Amino acid sequence: MSIGFFFMLFAAQSQNFVEETILNSYADKGKIPYHVGYISMAIMYGVSTASVLFVAPIIDILKRRALPIAGFGYALFLLSFFYLNEIFLFITSVIFGFSRSVLYAAMGFYLTSNSNPNNSSLVGGGILLFIIFHNSNSKDEIQDSTVKYIYGAFTGVTIFAIAILALLRKPLNDGKARQEKQSQAQRLSSTFRLFVSKKMLYISLPFTYIGITFAFWSGIYPTTIAQTNKFDYNTHSLTGISAIATGMGQVLAGLIFGFLNSKFTNIRRDFIVLFATILHLLVYVAIYINFPKDAPLKKTCETGIIEPK
């Protein structure tokens, strides 16, 4: 199952890094408006957030079969880049967002251990993006053939993941060791009661911050890199390098804190949170001084506070 999720998220997370950049390349040719990539991602996240409240009955019916079915929603979105149309893109973004909720809810239903393939999948996706962009004939313009290579690879990987998830064996306790069934109204009621509890309101603040951070590093930051023309290097290849570095950072942080937690049990959680907060602030300051302010929205030859060498 970990292999299936690895390949599914390999495609999903990697395409987030290049979606706005690729769609802006089509906008340069007058095929679609600018910034539809940002709108598409907003639709995905919004639908995913809203639909997570309503997917439980679907999981009750489909059980583990929900995993490959949700994968088809991912694949349909990726295929939309072969026949790019603004309306179709937004429709498939809705499907993608809903499929994301189903996938993660089904994962929670199926998992019997805390296996998390998310981190290393981004490294593999970054390597793929770097290779394709590095061998592209154009430094500034993303050619249609390059887009087809990228999304063809992502679609193929997703279909492979669907096949793996479809072959998962039936859990031994499937439908046997389950809690008393609740109606959808009861589920929603208990969910909202939990949400307004004092502890949940406190923890919702860092959850919100994590969501904003995810949107930044998976969509806005890679686009900023790609649209900063002052870099001498191929900025699209730099996007791939950024994905590799991000994935490696996630893996490394997990290993470090996992090791520290096992060896030094007296390390307090507030120390780890404080360390991560300071590190985040330093990274944001570095991004602020290194990139021009208009880079997230358009290609620019301007520089940040410091000029890249």
Side-chain angles (χ1 to χ4, degrees):
M1 185 183 62
S2 294
I3 295 174
F5 276 106
F6 172 88
F7 285 108
M8 185 73 71
L9 297 175
F10 171 99
Q13 291 191 344
S14 301
Q15 84 82 30
N16 276 349
F17 262 70
V18 294
E19 181 180 354
E20 172 66 8
T21 301
I22 286 176
L23 291 174
N24 277 349
S25 73
Y26 280 93
D28 289 337
K29 303 169 189 175
K31 295 183 178 180
I32 55 175
Y34 284 99
H35 309 314
V36 294
Y38 286 148
I39 298 173
S40 168
M41 284 187 276
I43 292 172
M44 289 180 202
Y45 299 147
V47 171
S48 180
T49 301
S51 59
V52 75
L53 297 171
F54 307 101
V55 297
I58 297 175
I59 307 304
D60 284 342
I61 297 171
L62 297 176
K63 298 183 173 60
R64 74 185 190 283
R65 292 186 295 274
L67 293 168
I69 291 174
F72 281 112
Y74 278 51
L76 181 62
F77 172 78
L78 296 171
L79 285 171
S80 70
F81 282 78
F82 286 86
Y83 311 97
L84 200 57
N85 174 277
E86 183 182 1
I87 301 301
F88 186 52
L89 175 68
F90 292 158
I91 292 172
T92 54
S93 296
V94 172
I95 296 172
F96 185 100
F98 182 76
S99 298
R100 183 200 294 263
S101 291
V102 173
L103 183 73
Y104 280 97
M107 177 176 63
F109 173 85
Y110 190 86
L111 278 178
T112 56
S113 61
N114 189 21
S115 174
N116 185 2
N118 296 22
N119 300 334
S120 56
S121 63
L122 193 55
V123 177
I127 293 172
L128 173 65
L129 292 174
F130 175 78
I131 292 173
I132 293 177
F133 283 136
H134 186 70
N135 292 307
S136 175
N137 294 326
S138 174
K139 177 181 176 181
D140 299 319
E141 180 183 337
I142 301 177
Q143 300 174 346
D144 290 357
S145 59
T146 302
V147 175
K148 287 181 170 57
Y149 283 139
I150 292 172
Y151 279 88
F154 288 162
T155 303
V157 168
T158 301
I159 292 173
F160 179 66
I162 291 171
I164 293 175
L165 295 176
L167 295 174
L168 290 176
R169 69 178 184 180
K170 183 178 180 180
L172 297 177
N173 61 347
D174 189 14
K176 295 178 181 179
R178 301 182 61 187
Q179 296 179 350
E180 182 182 349
K181 272 195 171 184
Q182 290 182 314
S183 67
Q184 181 62 14
Q186 289 173 321
R187 285 193 181 105
L188 289 175
S189 176
S190 61
T191 298
F192 283 112
R193 282 200 306 271
L194 176 63
F195 180 74
V196 297
S197 64
K198 188 175 180 180
K199 289 184 178 180
M200 197 64 197
L201 287 174
Y202 282 143
I203 203 170
S204 65
L205 295 176
F207 283 169
T208 302
Y209 172 75
I210 291 171
I212 294 172
T213 302
F214 176 81
F216 175 78
W217 68 255
S218 67
I220 298 173
Y221 182 56
T223 304
T224 300
I225 295 173
Q227 298 190 148
T228 303
N229 293 332
K230 273 291 185 179
F231 290 118
D232 292 333
Y233 201 75
N234 184 332
T235 55
H236 301 310
S237 295
L238 287 178
T239 303
I241 295 174
S242 171
I244 296 170
T246 301
M248 290 180 65
Q250 290 177 329
V251 173
L252 185 61
L255 292 174
I256 290 174
F257 286 110
F259 172 78
L260 291 177
N261 187 55
S262 63
K263 297 296 182 181
F264 306 98
T265 56
N266 59 338
I267 295 180
R268 296 173 56 182
R269 284 175 295 178
D270 51 0
F271 168 79
I272 297 175
V273 172
L274 179 61
F275 175 78
T277 301
I278 295 173
L279 193 60
H280 266 215
L281 290 174
L282 292 175
V283 169
Y284 290 139
V285 169
I287 292 172
Y288 176 77
I289 65 176
N290 199 40
F291 290 95
K293 61 182 179 181
D294 52 349
L297 299 176
K298 64 179 182 179
K299 292 180 180 178
T300 178
C301 292
E302 299 296 323
T303 61
I305 297 176
I306 60 174
E307 186 168 350
K309 300 295 184 181

